[in-house]
Amino acid sequence: MTIIPNSFQVQAKATKWLTWKHPQQLPTLLKPYPWQTIKILGEGTNILLLKSLYHEPIIQSHYKALHYKITKDEVHLFVGAGYHWDDLVQFCARQHWWGIENLSAIPGSVGAAPIQNIGAYGSEIKEVLTKVLVYNLKKQTFQWLKNQDCQFQYRDSLFKQLNPNPFLIVAVCLQLSTRYRPNLSYKDLKHYAEQYLTPPYTPYQIAQAVRTIRAKKLPDPTQLGNAGSFFKNPLLTQQQFTQLKQRFPSIPYFKEQTKYKIPAAWLIEKAGLKGIRKNGVGTYPKQPLVIVNYHAHNGKAIYNFAMEIRKKVYEAFGVWLELEVRVWE
Ligand code: EPU
């Protein structure tokens, strides 16, 4: 039995734990199992495990290939699913390649990054991802999915939508740039750069700036169990937003095409739930969108707490929060 790594630090084990270092191993490794039962794990940093024992096969990638080619001012990378995401960010930033520096310090693996289209500080992986090499569990073949095929949206993709999902991510291809192109669209990052840095910035400086900003707000999962934002920021229709703004004129928002994205952290705070604790679980006092595990041993306690938060936010604002974290039942 293997302990399932998870950043919520709940106790859970797997009876069938599979790992792979090279794509060639996949067909033989996975052949014995019905494809619908296979669970794919990255580093367990965006997952809530509800059971203490899993009998389904769980597969984790240890494939750490990293290849790149530079043509003019473009850098084309091929990175194995088992590469640690933040190591990739640091590597690219040190090379002076632009494109993923704002995604610095996000926990997890490269293979998990496209699943929820990781995003932070004004960037999302979909902006630099060109294609994904997948192993189709159902057809038992390798195939390429182009960026468009992945149906990326805010914290969402084809891989998250399909249930069961037949695509195991083997490697991702990214296109970065050697041309100066800092993205300071996010207010906190812009302020930080203006205060502490002098242009022209380097990707490494931006990556470090993001790391510092994150560390001020977000708990380190190795110190305090958490999986980052537990819920997504809700996208409201014009009508929903207008009604809410009449009641709460100070509500912060970001216009996204025809929708209005409002910070779930604000809703949680205004509902009086910032920093609360119950049964060893709480909302993080500096960023209440993060649910933290003080001393709960099982995922159900965390799940129940989160459902209470969701219910109370709904009662206060009529807004139903969607989970960002993935729950393994
Ligand atoms: N806010 C409050 N109270 C708080 C904290 C925040 O009202 O205690 C409000 C403020 O209005 C603030 C706004 O929430 O301006 C946004 O807060 P923040 O910049 O911390 O970002 P967020 O929207 O809560 C999102 C991502 C994070 C990402 C940051 C930075 C989602 C679900 N979360 O959080 O991603 O790091 O932006 O880009 O979109 C993650 O996905 O796990 C994650 C941490």
Side-chain angles (χ1 to χ4, degrees), residues 46 116 119-122 154-155 186-188 214 217-218 227-233 252 254 261 263-267 269 274 285-290 324:
N46 199 46
Q116 63 151 340
Y121 299 95
Y154 165 59
R155 290 297 194 278
Y186 206 85
K187 203 176 60 197
D188 291 2
R214 284 181 71 99
K217 286 191 193 177
L218 300 172
S229 304
F230 196 93
F231 300 102
K232 292 190 204 179
N233 286 327
F254 309 90
K261 191 189 267 180
W266 186 90
L267 297 172
E269 180 172 345
K274 180 167 168 164
K286 293 184 202 161
Q287 183 18 308
L289 187 50
V290 180
E324 202 258 59

Side-chain angles (χ1 to χ4, degrees), residues 106-161:
I106 296 180
S109 65
V110 164
I115 309 279
Q116 63 151 340
N117 177 24
I118 55 166
Y121 299 95
S123 292
E124 286 181 329
I125 194 175
K126 74 166 189 193
E127 292 151 17
V128 293
L129 183 146
T130 50
K131 55 186 180 173
V132 182
L133 178 63
V134 295
Y135 181 65
N136 188 322
L137 302 171
K138 189 175 173 187
K139 296 187 182 158
Q140 303 186 3
T141 52
F142 290 94
Q143 71 186 87
W144 285 101
L145 296 179
K146 293 196 191 107
N147 179 305
Q148 290 296 314
D149 303 330
C150 299
Q151 298 176 21
F152 291 122
Q153 289 179 56
Y154 165 59
R155 290 297 194 278
D156 203 6
S157 72
L158 174 75
F159 312 106
K160 233 176 146 175
Q161 288 300 324

Side-chain angles (χ1 to χ4, degrees), residues 39-287:
K39 287 185 171 308
I40 306 164
L41 187 77
E43 293 178 17
T45 55
N46 199 46
I47 204 120
L48 178 58
L49 304 169
L50 295 191
K51 295 196 290 193
S52 55
L53 190 61
Y54 287 83
H55 293 295
E56 304 90 323
I58 299 180
I59 183 161
Q60 187 184 46
S61 171
H62 292 182
Y63 178 45
K64 295 183 195 294
L66 174 64
H67 305 290
Y68 60 88
K69 198 171 77 190
I70 305 178
T71 48
K72 285 196 215 143
D73 52 8
E74 290 169 0
V75 186
H76 299 270
L77 290 124
F78 172 99
V79 194
Y83 210 95
H84 182 59
W85 172 261
D86 195 40
D87 287 349
L88 177 68
V89 173
Q90 299 314 306
F91 173 77
C92 295
R94 283 184 201 276
Q95 305 290 318
H96 281 255
W97 298 340
W98 292 95
I100 53 173
E101 61 286 348
N102 291 30
L103 303 177
S104 165
I106 296 180
S109 65
V110 164
I115 309 279
Q116 63 151 340
N117 177 24
I118 55 166
Y121 299 95
S123 292
E124 286 181 329
I125 194 175
K126 74 166 189 193
E127 292 151 17
V128 293
L129 183 146
T130 50
K131 55 186 180 173
V132 182
L133 178 63
V134 295
Y135 181 65
N136 188 322
L137 302 171
K138 189 175 173 187
K139 296 187 182 158
Q140 303 186 3
T141 52
F142 290 94
Q143 71 186 87
W144 285 101
L145 296 179
K146 293 196 191 107
N147 179 305
Q148 290 296 314
D149 303 330
C150 299
Q151 298 176 21
F152 291 122
Q153 289 179 56
Y154 165 59
R155 290 297 194 278
D156 203 6
S157 72
L158 174 75
F159 312 106
K160 233 176 146 175
Q161 288 300 324
L162 294 176
N163 188 17
N165 160 37
F167 301 120
L168 183 151
I169 295 182
V170 174
V172 304
C173 289
L174 305 179
Q175 184 180 322
L176 305 185
S177 175
T178 55
R179 277 218 327 261
Y180 186 70
R181 52 167 218 200
N183 170 4
L184 301 179
S185 57
Y186 206 85
K187 203 176 60 197
D188 291 2
L189 183 56
K190 185 166 179 278
H191 289 167
Y192 185 98
E194 283 167 359
Q195 203 173 347
Y196 298 109
L197 306 174
T198 320
Y201 310 120
T202 66
Y204 190 74
Q205 283 177 316
I206 301 294
Q208 286 302 108
V210 168
R211 186 173 298 280
T212 309
I213 299 168
R214 284 181 71 99
K216 281 192 195 140
K217 286 191 193 177
L218 300 172
D220 176 350
T222 63
Q223 306 298 316
L224 183 59
N226 77 87
S229 304
F230 196 93
F231 300 102
K232 292 190 204 179
N233 286 327
L235 283 163
L236 305 187
T237 61
Q238 168 89 56
Q239 195 193 4
Q240 286 173 309
F241 177 71
T242 312
Q243 280 172 3
L244 211 56
K245 189 148 172 64
Q246 272 162 7
R247 279 174 60 205
F248 307 97
S250 67
I251 187 167
Y253 66 93
F254 309 90
K255 185 110 206 286
E256 299 229 335
Q257 281 122 33
T258 57
K259 300 254 174 123
Y260 293 80
K261 191 189 267 180
I262 55 169
W266 186 90
L267 297 172
I268 296 171
E269 180 172 345
K270 292 291 174 227
L273 305 167
K274 180 167 168 164
I276 63 160
R277 273 193 199 206
K278 197 175 165 187
N279 299 331
V281 189
T283 53
Y284 192 56
K286 293 184 202 161
Q287 183 18 308

